[in-house]
Amino acid sequence: MKNICFCFLMHVPMQLRRYRFFEIGQDHYYYDDMATEEHLAHLVSVSYMPLLRALQEMIRLSKGKFHCGLAVTGTSLELMEQYNPELIDIIKELVSSRCLELVAMPYAYSLAAQHSETDFEAQLVKHADKLNYLFGVRSTTLFNTELLYSDEIAQLTYRLGYKTILAEGAQHILSYKSPNYVYRSIAAPKQSVLLRNMDLSDSLAFHFSDTGWPDYPTDANKFISRLQSLPEEENLINIWMGADAFGIYQNAATGIFEFLKALPYYALENGIGFLTPSEAARKSKPSDIVSCPYPMTWAGDSKGLSLFEGNDLQQEALQKLFAVAERVHLCQDQSLKTDWLLLQDANYLHHMNHQDRGESPFESAYDAFINYMNILSDFLQLVEEQYPTTIDNEELNALLKTINNQEKEILKLQTEIKALKKKK
């Protein structure tokens, strides 16, 4: 039996304000709150809310047979709590239906998996705690930033307890294979790897209303017929995209929401079911192994990291940012730690790309770079004040090791105390 695994990504980056050179050392607030609120309001009204309402209707009309995944960054959840709490309520309803799975991801849409194992783990823990606090769930399925994946990341994430990881079904790692199976990681053989069907996902996200696209116009019946025409043994079709594909990239006038709501009817009529990502991994045996020695994402034509660290501007920003990681870890200043988290957002690096800058508010890659580096210069000054660069790395590492050992000892003692209380 064929199954469709939908997964939608929601991420709202904090908009950076125009931060001038003369403000360095004077003003330590880096964000344009009004622009962020306006951006979120637009996303909620034309995309996120209509999409979540459509998912509710699909679950109801299919009598609970429609299942899907949803990935929401922690920073976006914070913004929703502040400005659009009704969105949190709808997600709670969807989670309680057991038809929607909230999957894990880095808290602030960071590329830390590639640059700082410590920060990557910390963001995953923070996101897990957020999901548990708001929705009472914990996930062992991971949707990394930009679907960033490699053998090294697979090994690390499995060690951290993630049984399933989502990745791009890029041709250069699949070769002759199809993305429509469950795979195993060569680096973590017990971890399931689900691969996005690029063709089908992108045909909806970017070409649904494209009159020059071979499948235009696309309707639910035609789309399901296309899935049926796939080889019988290809039983899992992973369709993942940004939630903003619905309402933003494809506006409501294109009929994208009506198309989505009609899918369960035509799929179920033709014997095609729906699964959440964890269900997909659990119900299908891995067909083969997949190896990805170099970082892979779902971004751009190269499916690598070139959109985020492919030029000198991006590389300098990344180097400066992560060079102070250990010093930030030692800081007790919560506002500093919050800035550290937010400044890792991959979108800021994307804005520094010369060819494809995403939805950048800046006129050029250089403008984006200069603005970000002005902010980063101020941030680095604040870090320097707490832990000066005169403290050498050996001394810093020793201090960090001591603190980490103390934290582990405290955790151990807390566990022992709980065990003793249970015995009483």
Side-chain angles (χ1 to χ4, degrees):
M1 178 182 176
K2 281 184 169 54
N3 288 288
I4 304 170
C5 175
F6 273 109
C7 192
F8 308 98
L9 167 67
M10 291 181 176
H11 174 57
V12 187
M14 293 287 290
Q15 302 293 305
L16 297 179
R17 69 180 183 87
R18 295 300 194 277
Y19 192 91
R20 310 301 180 188
F21 178 79
F22 63 80
E23 294 180 271
I24 298 172
Q26 305 298 319
D27 192 332
H28 309 311
Y29 194 74
Y30 313 133
Y31 316 102
D32 187 335
D33 293 334
M34 185 176 294
T36 301
E37 185 179 355
E38 288 176 356
H39 181 50
L40 175 62
H42 179 61
L43 277 171
V44 170
S45 64
V46 304
S47 176
Y48 291 179
M49 186 65 79
L51 175 60
L52 294 178
R53 292 295 188 198
L55 297 182
Q56 284 181 317
E57 187 174 340
M58 293 158 75
I59 291 169
R60 179 177 59 81
L61 293 177
S62 68
K63 297 181 180 178
K65 293 180 181 178
F66 174 78
H67 289 195
C68 68
L70 180 66
V72 192
T73 56
T75 50
S76 300
L77 289 170
E78 286 183 13
L79 288 171
M80 291 173 192
E81 285 181 284
Q82 183 176 358
Y83 297 113
N84 298 93
E86 68 276 12
L87 217 60
I88 298 290
D89 292 335
I90 294 175
I91 295 174
K92 284 180 180 177
E93 289 179 27
L94 288 165
V95 170
S96 66
S97 73
R98 299 188 178 181
C99 296
L100 179 137
E101 175 187 8
L102 283 172
V103 299
M105 64 184 314
Y107 196 86
Y109 212 63
S110 164
L111 297 175
Q114 189 63 21
H115 299 280
S116 171
E117 181 178 317
T118 301
D119 283 285
F120 180 52
E121 181 177 354
Q123 288 212 29
L124 293 180
V125 169
K126 187 175 178 66
H127 188 262
D129 290 343
K130 190 69 172 178
L131 292 188
N132 187 51
Y133 170 73
L134 286 176
F135 309 106
V137 297
R138 291 191 179 274
S139 178
T140 57
T141 300
L142 178 65
F143 188 123
N144 199 4
T145 302
E146 296 292 314
L147 285 186
L148 175 58
Y149 176 83
S150 67
D151 293 339
E152 188 177 350
I153 290 171
Q155 193 172 46
L156 169 61
T157 54
Y158 182 72
R159 192 167 73 245
L160 294 176
Y162 293 94
K163 298 176 181 177
T164 305
I165 189 167
L166 280 55
E168 177 74 319
Q171 199 62 44
H172 67 273
I173 70 153
L174 277 172
S175 185
Y176 63 89
K177 300 172 187 174
S178 165
N180 304 327
Y181 298 98
V182 175
Y183 288 89
R184 290 181 295 115
S185 165
I186 195 170
K190 292 184 179 180
Q191 184 181 64
S192 296
V193 182
L194 305 183
L195 299 175
R196 188 178 84 116
N197 187 306
M198 296 190 305
D199 185 26
L200 290 169
S201 299
D202 290 348
S203 69
L204 293 185
F206 305 115
H207 302 293
F208 182 80
S209 59
D210 181 359
T211 55
W213 192 247
D215 286 334
Y216 181 86
T218 299
D219 59 38
N221 192 25
K222 185 192 292 188
F223 190 78
I224 294 300
S225 296
R226 187 176 172 189
L227 269 55
Q228 281 186 299
S229 67
L230 294 170
E232 186 178 346
E233 63 275 13
E234 295 186 12
N235 59 5
L236 178 64
I237 301 99
N238 296 311
I239 302 176
W240 311 329
M241 64 199 76
D244 54 1
F246 297 86
I248 303 292
Y249 289 106
Q250 307 299 328
N251 63 54
T254 65
I256 189 70
F257 290 107
E258 286 71 22
F259 163 84
L260 184 65
K261 287 186 277 190
L263 274 180
Y265 172 79
Y266 287 102
L268 296 169
E269 280 286 301
N270 289 279
I272 297 176
F274 295 90
L275 297 173
T276 66
S278 63
E279 288 172 341
R282 190 169 64 248
K283 292 186 177 182
S284 299
K285 289 184 178 179
S287 67
D288 204 344
I289 60 170
V290 64
S291 176
C292 185
Y294 305 106
M296 174 180 67
T297 69
W298 68 357
D301 295 330
S302 69
K303 301 301 179 185
L305 282 166
S306 60
L307 284 185
F308 308 97
E309 49 186 72
N311 65 39
D312 292 343
L313 306 180
Q314 295 164 317
Q315 289 165 19
E316 182 178 349
L318 276 166
Q319 189 277 324
K320 295 282 188 187
L321 178 66
F322 282 102
V324 296
E326 290 185 345
R327 296 172 195 277
V328 175
H329 299 160
L330 291 169
C331 292
Q332 299 302 313
D333 187 332
Q334 193 53 51
S335 64
L336 202 67
K337 286 182 175 291
T338 298
D339 287 333
W340 165 249
L341 195 67
L342 295 175
L343 290 174
Q344 292 181 47
D345 194 309
N347 284 279
Y348 304 147
L349 297 164
H350 193 180
H351 297 165
M352 300 175 203
N353 187 280
H354 293 294
Q355 283 76 41
D356 177 355
R357 299 191 296 113
E359 298 177 5
S360 176
F362 299 96
E363 292 182 3
S364 72
Y366 291 106
D367 289 335
F369 171 74
I370 290 168
N371 196 75
Y372 185 82
M373 293 306 288
N374 284 343
I375 289 171
L376 196 55
S377 295
D378 183 81
F379 175 77
L380 295 178
Q381 281 188 14
L382 296 176
V383 176
E384 172 77 9
E385 289 172 8
Q386 298 219 12
Y387 287 94
T389 49
T390 51
I391 303 175
D392 62 33
N393 286 335
E394 188 175 336
E395 187 180 351
L396 194 68
N397 287 333
L399 184 57
L400 191 59
K401 186 176 180 181
T402 300
I403 291 172
N404 287 336
N405 287 339
Q406 286 175 343
E407 289 178 349
K408 288 178 182 177
E409 186 63 28
I410 290 169
L411 196 61
K412 180 183 174 184
L413 290 171
Q414 287 175 339
T415 304
E416 289 176 357
I417 290 169
K418 286 181 182 178
L420 289 170
K421 284 182 178 179
K422 284 183 179 179
K423 287 181 179 180
K424 290 181 180 180

